[in-house]
Amino acid sequence: SAVISQKPSRDICQRGTSLTIQCQVDSQVTMMFWYRQQPGQSLTLIATANQGSEATYESGFVIDKFPISRPNLTFSTLTVSNMSPEDSSIYLCSAGQGGGQETQYFGPGTRLLVL
Amino acid sequence: RKEVEQDPGPFNVPEGATVAFNCTYSNSASQSFFWYRQDCRKEPKLLMSVYSSGNEDGRFTAQLNRASQYISLLIRDSKLSDSATYLCVAHGQAGTALIFGKGTTLSVSS
């Protein structure tokens, strides 16, 4: 299994600012994903972070609002841009090897509160 | 129709009870299925994979019925520590993300 860490673990931000969340995996992984989990809800996929190319976004999520980087096979960042209170949520990074090994492991999440 | 649907519960059961969770998925092309467990204010953690032949891990048994597009999780001899939200998960094509149900909340009391 992969061990995944995220920074920051939590933050309180002002409306209109941006926050970048970092995700670090302890081993090289093929696939990395970013999810959002709003209070009392299940996980919603934001995007797939592709190494060396632009992320693949799900319906309802756009690059201008959630720019993602993945410079190598162990690291990715998600930026929540121009935040509003509706962006208050838990943001989770996950990773997996793909290629038939479909188990994915999650980071501890970043709790974001936008005032 | 949501891709993965679960009864949200909550299921409130006494210690020692047997409890079953059900889940349906809409995408017949889904290839892999899992149950994840999520404790309050924690990230989801893999509980077990689900196979057509069924699989058992201690007190936990998972079943998959591809014809009915139905997945189940059975917990026997419930413990207080089983209290959590159980997420039913389907996976489509290789290399794609997981699709989560909204979760079923279990509360085991003494």
Side-chain angles (χ1 to χ4, degrees):
Chain A
S1 65
V3 176
I4 303 172
S5 59
Q6 285 185 233
K7 289 195 299 186
S9 59
R10 60 179 67 234
D11 208 339
I12 300 173
C13 301
Q14 295 295 326
R15 182 194 299 260
T17 63
S18 298
L19 175 72
T20 295
I21 303 168
Q22 298 180 8
C23 177
Q24 180 74 56
V25 189
D26 69 341
S27 59
Q28 292 187 344
V29 290
T30 307
M31 312 300 299
M32 291 184 75
F33 305 94
W34 287 98
Y35 291 82
R36 181 171 73 182
Q37 187 173 30
Q38 295 183 306
Q41 301 296 315
S42 190
L43 286 80
T44 300
L45 179 66
I46 298 172
T48 301
N50 300 307
Q51 194 264 328
S53 64
E54 193 171 286
T56 305
Y57 289 84
E58 296 299 302
S59 176
F61 298 97
V62 295
I63 187 171
D64 290 346
K65 176 66 176 177
F66 297 101
I68 287 171
S69 78
R70 186 160 177 212
N72 56 51
L73 292 176
T74 63
F75 185 79
S76 178
T77 67
L78 168 74
T79 299
V80 186
S81 303
N82 188 25
M83 287 183 285
S84 67
E86 292 70 36
D87 295 321
S88 299
S89 189
I90 301 171
Y91 292 85
L92 293 140
C93 170
S94 80
Q97 291 296 0
Q101 300 180 44
E102 305 305 344
T103 302
Q104 292 181 15
Y105 299 94
F106 284 83
T110 296
R111 295 179 180 281
L112 172 61
L113 176 63
V114 184
L115 302 177
Chain B
R1 181 184 172 188
K2 298 192 185 301
E3 291 195 52
V4 177
E5 294 201 55
Q6 298 180 245
D7 180 346
F11 284 67
N12 299 305
V13 303
E15 275 186 290
T18 295
V19 61
F21 303 142
N22 302 318
C23 167
T24 57
Y25 61 95
S26 61
N27 186 354
S28 59
S30 296
Q31 298 177 5
S32 306
F33 306 90
F34 308 92
W35 283 99
Y36 275 72
R37 168 187 170 138
Q38 187 171 27
D39 291 285
C40 186
R41 304 177 74 82
K42 298 286 188 181
E43 73 275 19
K45 293 187 177 177
L46 178 66
L47 179 65
M48 59 197 306
S49 302
V50 188
Y51 306 114
S52 296
S53 56
N55 52 309
E56 186 173 316
D57 182 3
R59 297 182 293 108
F60 298 84
T61 301
Q63 293 277 356
L64 165 65
N65 183 322
R66 286 191 183 272
S68 302
Q69 296 182 199
Y70 172 93
I71 304 161
S72 66
L73 176 67
L74 182 74
I75 305 176
R76 291 180 298 276
D77 189 22
S78 299
K79 311 293 185 189
L80 294 175
S81 57
D82 293 334
S83 298
T85 297
Y86 292 84
L87 301 166
C88 177
V89 183
H91 191 275
Q93 295 177 341
T96 60
L98 302 173
I99 306 298
F100 285 82
K102 286 194 170 184
T104 299
T105 300
L106 172 65
S107 176
V108 181
S109 56
S110 57

